[in-house]
């Protein structure tokens, strides 16, 4: 079982490394993208310049070929630079380890294509946009500085390189998802997994909290709603009648700054509110919807492209202005609700059901759901910083004062929070922590399925390594010994 435990640790390290590489590796180029490299072609002796100041430059050689993909030595170098630029400790990371990870990604991507797994250009470009936004945020919004950092002459070439990298990453992820999609774990397997862990190696689970909240949203006057609707109708008319760009209008006017102007890819199961999906899936390509309302505000949506069960859309969100008087009334209502709970007139759970304006929690006794685990527990060390700051000084069962909360779209609301339950740090217990133990057992079983797939596909896939790379002690059998 010690090996089993080590496998779990190794798996977590690989998952962490894989996430870092997926975010930061902007050096993974295909062989068709070597125009930006300082390479001198191999030529005969007679063609070498006679300039005495001429210096030979090392050719950017091929480190490995996996299926249809080529990994260059410069890809490994740039991956090191990218990881270091993000503050990662690279002292214990070797070239062989990075090459092995890049080869794994290429193997997944190669067989994703072979298995006809599709990745839409809209989804890839959406990832590129978010990646560049992140980079610019780190560099104070200076695109020229970003291009100089990555030695790119223009934004378009940089975006195209990122497009290729993100496409490989998405193909790789889709292939991994397909490998494990049918892997399930039985209660008996969970029991055996737990019983095989030595007592002195049982995992320790950190302190977790269960948190409830009641939300009061300020009432928006009908006059403000009408202003938003009329403005959206005007924007729609300008795009349809004058040929202006919907994307440009979204960048200029949408209150959803995170997605303004960007393409959103979705299907019927995507995590968008029902009203948004209902409208989006009724449109034809190029069509713009009439204004419609969701819990976030008022929208218009343009359908960019249909791809089977998936669509690419852009949207503009306008949030009607909330007058100061409406905010004051919302706070007073929140204070009254809080006083009634403190005075024992009504329970927190009943108050959530009767008064809360948040659909997701009011029918669940006000309990927040952890978006990462989909249960009600929040581990302190992994909690969202904004939520942590709101509950850190609360005692168990204590009600917070009314808090003015504002989301990324600028929507304002008042809420009160309460820690409804606390689970202190403890050594894993089978009955108490069954769900977590089940997840660990499932992870190990999935890891074994991926490893089995990897071993089979390496044998069946063309793999070539240069002489230097053949000296690596790879985790996987890339040398096919």
């Amino acid at each position: 079982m010690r090996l089993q435990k080590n496998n779990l640790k190794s798996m977590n390290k690989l998952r962490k490394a894989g996430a870092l590489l997926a975010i930061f590796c902007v050096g993974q180029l295909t062989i068709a993208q070597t125009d930006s490299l300082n390479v001198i072609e191999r030529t005969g002796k007679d063609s070498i310049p006679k300039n005495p100041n001429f210096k030979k430059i090392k050719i950017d050689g091929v480190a490995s070929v996996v299926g249809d993909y080529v990994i260059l030595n410069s890809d490994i170098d740039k991956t090191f630079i990218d990881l270091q630029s993000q503050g990662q400790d690279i002292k214990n990371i070797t070239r062989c380890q990075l090459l092995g990870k890049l080869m794994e990604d290429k193997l997944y991507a190669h067989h994703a294509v072979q298995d006809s797994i599709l990745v839409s250009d809209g989804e890839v470009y959406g990832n590129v946009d978010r990646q560049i936004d992140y980079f610019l945020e780190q560099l104070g919004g200076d695109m020229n500085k970003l291009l100089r950092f990555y030695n790119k002459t223009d934004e378009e070439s940089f975006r195209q390189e990122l497009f290729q990298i993100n496409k490989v990453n998405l193909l790789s992820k889709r292939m991994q998802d397909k490998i494990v999609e049918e892997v399930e774990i039985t209660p008996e397997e969970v029991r055996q997994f737990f019983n095989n862990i030595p007592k002195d190696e049982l995992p320790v689970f950190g302190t977790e909290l269960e948190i409830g909240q009641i939300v009061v949203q300020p009432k928006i006057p009908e006059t403000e709603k009408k202003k938003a609707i009329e403005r959206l109708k005007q924007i729609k008319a300008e795009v349809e009648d004058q040929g202006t760009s919907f994307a440009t209008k979204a960048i200029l006017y949408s209150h959803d700054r995170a997605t303004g102007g960007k393409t959103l890819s979705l299907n019927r199961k995507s995590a968008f509110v029902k009203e948004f999906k209902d409208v989006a899936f009724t449109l034809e390509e190029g069509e713009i919807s009439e204004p419609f309302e969701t819990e976030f505000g008022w929208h218009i949506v343009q359908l960019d492209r249909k791809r089977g069960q998936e669509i690419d859309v852009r949207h503009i969100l306008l949030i009607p202005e909330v007058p100061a008087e409406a905010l004051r009334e919302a706070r007073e209502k929140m204070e009254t609700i809080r006083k009634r709970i403190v005075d024992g007139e009504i329970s927190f759970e009943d108050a959530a059901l009767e008064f809360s304006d948040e659909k997701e929690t009011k029918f669940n006794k006000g309990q927040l759901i952890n978006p990462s685990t989909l249960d009600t527990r929040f581990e302190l060390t992994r909690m969202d910083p904004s939520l942590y700051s709101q509950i850190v000084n609360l005692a168990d069962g204590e009600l917070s004062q009314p808090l003015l909360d504002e989301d990324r779209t600028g929507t304002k609301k008042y809420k009160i929070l309460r820690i409804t339950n606390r689970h202190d740090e403890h050594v894993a217990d089978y009955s108490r922590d069954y769900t977590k133990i089940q997840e660990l057992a499932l992870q190990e079983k999935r890891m074994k399925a991926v490893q089995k797939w990897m071993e089979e596909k390496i044998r069946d896939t063309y793999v070539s390594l240069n002489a230097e790379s053949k000296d690596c002690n790879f985790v996987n059998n890339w040398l096919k010994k």
Side-chain angles (χ1 to χ4, degrees):
M1 184 58 211
R2 188 176 301 274
L3 177 60
Q4 224 174 12
K5 175 95 173 195
N6 290 338
N7 282 345
L8 279 172
K9 291 180 179 178
S10 299
M11 177 179 62
N12 289 332
K13 289 179 181 178
L14 284 172
R15 289 173 67 190
K16 184 176 180 181
L20 287 171
L21 290 172
I23 296 172
F24 302 127
C25 291
V26 296
Q28 299 178 36
L29 305 177
T30 63
I31 198 166
Q33 294 174 285
T34 56
D35 56 305
S36 62
L37 302 168
N38 294 321
V39 176
I40 293 182
E41 297 180 355
R42 297 182 183 274
T43 57
K45 290 183 179 179
D46 291 341
S47 61
I48 296 178
K50 303 302 182 181
N51 186 340
N53 295 322
F54 174 77
K55 293 181 180 180
K56 292 184 179 179
I57 301 175
K58 182 179 178 180
I59 296 172
D60 184 23
V62 174
S64 175
V65 178
V66 179
D68 295 332
Y69 292 93
V70 174
I71 301 171
L72 304 174
N73 286 321
S74 63
D75 297 343
I76 305 172
D77 296 333
K78 291 180 180 180
T79 303
F80 269 118
I81 293 171
D82 294 328
L83 290 175
Q84 192 172 29
S85 71
Q86 298 301 326
Q88 304 302 317
D89 186 0
I90 63 172
K91 288 185 292 187
N92 296 321
I93 301 177
T94 67
R95 291 184 66 84
C96 288
Q97 288 173 326
L98 278 190
L99 175 59
K101 181 61 177 66
L102 295 179
M103 291 174 72
E104 288 180 18
D105 289 341
K106 298 299 189 286
L107 184 71
Y108 291 129
H110 172 77
H111 284 282
V113 174
Q114 300 299 310
D115 291 356
S116 300
I117 295 176
L118 301 178
V119 171
S120 72
D121 287 356
E123 185 177 6
V124 180
Y125 280 122
N127 280 4
V128 170
D129 288 339
R130 287 187 290 272
Q131 203 168 15
I132 288 181
D133 287 345
Y134 174 83
F135 290 150
L136 288 174
E137 184 179 345
Q138 306 307 306
L139 295 172
D142 191 335
M143 176 60 75
N144 290 328
K145 185 183 292 186
L146 177 61
L147 295 175
R148 289 196 301 272
F149 183 84
Y150 286 106
N151 195 28
K152 294 298 170 186
T153 56
D154 59 86
E155 182 179 346
E156 181 58 30
S157 64
F158 185 48
R159 284 184 177 275
Q160 286 305 311
E161 182 174 316
L162 285 177
F163 178 89
Q164 296 298 330
I165 296 163
N166 277 275
K167 188 164 188 176
V168 169
N169 288 336
L170 281 171
L171 285 170
S172 174
K173 183 180 183 304
R174 295 280 164 79
M175 188 70 249
Q176 293 176 69
D177 290 344
K178 183 179 179 182
I179 296 167
V180 302
E181 66 182 357
E182 295 183 359
V183 176
E184 298 179 345
I185 195 85
T186 66
E188 177 60 22
E189 287 175 314
V190 177
R191 187 188 66 80
Q192 290 179 5
F193 170 83
F194 182 78
N195 289 340
N196 286 333
I197 303 176
K199 296 297 182 183
D200 61 344
E201 294 184 15
L202 287 170
V204 175
F205 297 125
T207 299
E208 296 175 311
L209 302 179
E210 293 183 75
I211 303 166
Q213 72 175 21
I214 297 173
V215 174
V216 172
Q217 294 177 332
K219 301 300 181 183
I220 300 173
E222 288 299 319
T223 53
E224 295 299 328
K225 292 182 180 180
K226 288 180 180 179
K227 286 181 184 179
I229 294 170
E230 290 304 314
R231 182 67 183 117
L232 288 172
K233 287 182 177 180
Q234 181 184 359
I235 293 172
K236 171 180 163 71
E238 289 172 356
V239 174
E240 292 177 337
D241 300 338
Q242 302 173 20
T244 54
S245 167
F246 187 94
T248 300
K249 293 287 188 183
I251 292 171
L252 292 174
Y253 302 116
S254 181
H255 290 165
D256 187 355
R257 297 303 181 191
T259 64
K262 298 176 183 177
T263 301
L264 307 174
S265 297
L266 63 149
N267 56 46
R268 286 288 186 181
K269 296 181 179 180
S270 298
F272 289 77
V273 292
K274 180 179 183 298
E275 298 90 341
F276 189 94
K277 289 189 289 187
D278 286 347
V279 172
F281 278 94
T282 63
L283 301 174
E284 298 297 328
E285 289 190 2
E287 185 180 1
I288 301 173
S289 73
E290 294 296 328
F292 64 96
E293 186 179 18
T294 72
E295 62 191 85
F296 301 104
W298 287 84
H299 310 251
I300 54 173
V301 175
Q302 182 182 55
L303 179 61
D304 187 56
R305 190 169 62 147
K306 283 187 176 181
R307 296 172 286 99
Q309 300 300 311
E310 291 194 348
I311 58 175
D312 296 334
V313 302
R314 290 185 173 87
H315 84 123
I316 297 174
L317 168 69
L318 294 185
I319 302 171
E321 186 175 345
V322 179
E325 177 66 15
L327 278 173
R328 184 185 62 78
E329 291 175 356
R331 180 180 177 86
E332 289 176 352
K333 181 179 178 180
M334 190 84 268
E335 288 173 341
T336 300
I337 294 170
R338 182 182 186 279
K339 186 176 186 304
R340 291 185 63 188
I341 296 172
V342 172
D343 291 346
E345 292 182 24
I346 189 171
S347 69
F348 182 91
E349 294 77 11
D350 288 343
L353 180 61
E354 184 173 349
F355 300 114
S356 184
D357 292 325
E358 186 174 64
K359 296 178 183 178
E360 294 83 2
T361 58
K362 72 176 297 175
F363 299 109
N364 190 35
K365 300 180 180 180
Q367 286 293 141
L368 285 172
I369 300 298
N370 187 332
S372 300
T373 60
L374 300 181
D375 62 20
T376 57
R377 296 187 181 187
F378 292 80
E379 188 172 341
L380 273 178
T381 57
R382 299 180 181 179
M383 190 179 295
D384 180 87
S386 60
L387 178 60
Y388 178 82
S389 67
Q390 293 170 345
I391 58 88
V392 64
N393 295 319
L394 288 180
D396 294 356
E398 180 186 1
L399 280 178
S400 73
Q401 293 296 324
L403 302 169
L404 180 60
D405 196 47
E406 185 172 344
D407 63 21
R408 63 180 174 82
T409 66
T411 301
K412 296 178 180 179
K413 58 190 176 185
Y414 276 98
K415 65 181 181 181
I416 53 174
L417 296 162
R418 187 183 73 162
I419 297 175
T420 57
N421 206 352
R422 180 184 297 268
H423 306 270
D424 292 325
E425 180 178 282
H426 62 280
V427 175
D429 175 85
Y430 183 72
S431 298
R432 180 179 178 183
D433 303 303
Y434 179 83
T435 302
K436 287 186 172 59
I437 295 166
Q438 181 186 46
E439 180 61 26
L440 289 175
L442 180 59
Q443 285 181 18
E444 185 180 64
K445 189 172 182 180
R446 285 173 173 170
M447 182 186 71
K448 290 178 178 178
V450 169
Q451 190 60 41
K452 180 181 178 182
W453 181 92
M454 185 77 62
E455 291 170 359
E456 294 173 353
K457 296 304 181 183
I458 288 175
R459 287 197 300 266
D460 299 337
T461 306
Y462 175 76
V463 177
S464 175
L465 294 107
N466 65 16
E468 181 181 347
S469 300
K470 288 181 180 179
D471 293 331
C472 290
N473 183 22
F474 293 113
V475 174
N476 294 302
N477 187 28
W478 295 112
L479 299 176
K480 302 188 179 183
K481 293 181 179 179

